[in-house]
Amino acid sequence: MAGIRVSTVVEAPAERVWELVGDYHALGDWHPHLPPSRLGNGLTGNAIGSVRVFELPDGVVLHETLLAYDEEARSYTYSFPDGTFHFDDYRATLRVTPVTELGASFVEWSVTFDIEPEHRKESSDRVHGVFTSGLAALRKHFAG
């Protein structure tokens, strides 16, 4: 099992950051490199089992399924089908935690997965880039 963990501090209270990132289906609304998603099944909102579908610019259609959602802990976990970008058992979590002394937020995006060694670098770099650019967009959004 391998993993990637990317984190940042956002200069806004956790409640405000979660208002933006806590809607599972709104990732494409704030992430600069993802288009808005469409519903992939009849489940809407943050219902466990809800599927969001991204049609990526390179022609890839990505289906992500919500596995866990915790409003109080400000986190959600999702997966996508085995084989997507060569990953198996892909489980990603986005979490927002208050940094109370600063009135800021610690935002962490992490994932665990299995992958064949020959695909590890390319696929891991792709995910790392998505996570890093998304967190940079959050910092920028709340900076001004």
Side-chain angles (χ1 to χ4, degrees), residues 15-34:
E15 297 79 18
R16 285 194 47 223
V17 176
W18 185 247
E19 284 176 13
L20 181 62
V21 304
D23 178 351
Y24 177 67
H25 290 281
L27 178 60
D29 296 344
W30 58 267
H31 195 292
H33 301 297
L34 292 174

Side-chain angles (χ1 to χ4, degrees), residues 57-118:
D58 61 2
V60 172
V61 178
L62 181 60
H63 295 78
E64 297 180 336
T65 302
L66 186 61
L67 302 175
Y69 187 89
D70 189 331
E71 181 75 30
E72 187 174 322
R74 296 182 194 94
S75 72
Y76 63 78
T77 300
Y78 62 94
S79 67
F80 50 65
D82 285 353
T84 304
F85 305 123
H86 305 287
F87 292 110
D88 290 323
D89 296 318
Y90 184 99
R91 301 290 180 270
T93 299
L94 183 60
R95 178 182 332 275
V96 178
T97 306
V99 180
T100 56
E101 181 180 8
L102 303 175
S105 301
F106 178 76
V107 182
E108 179 180 64
W109 207 344
S110 62
V111 64
T112 59
F113 53 83
D114 290 323
I115 193 165
E116 296 296 325
E118 65 268 21

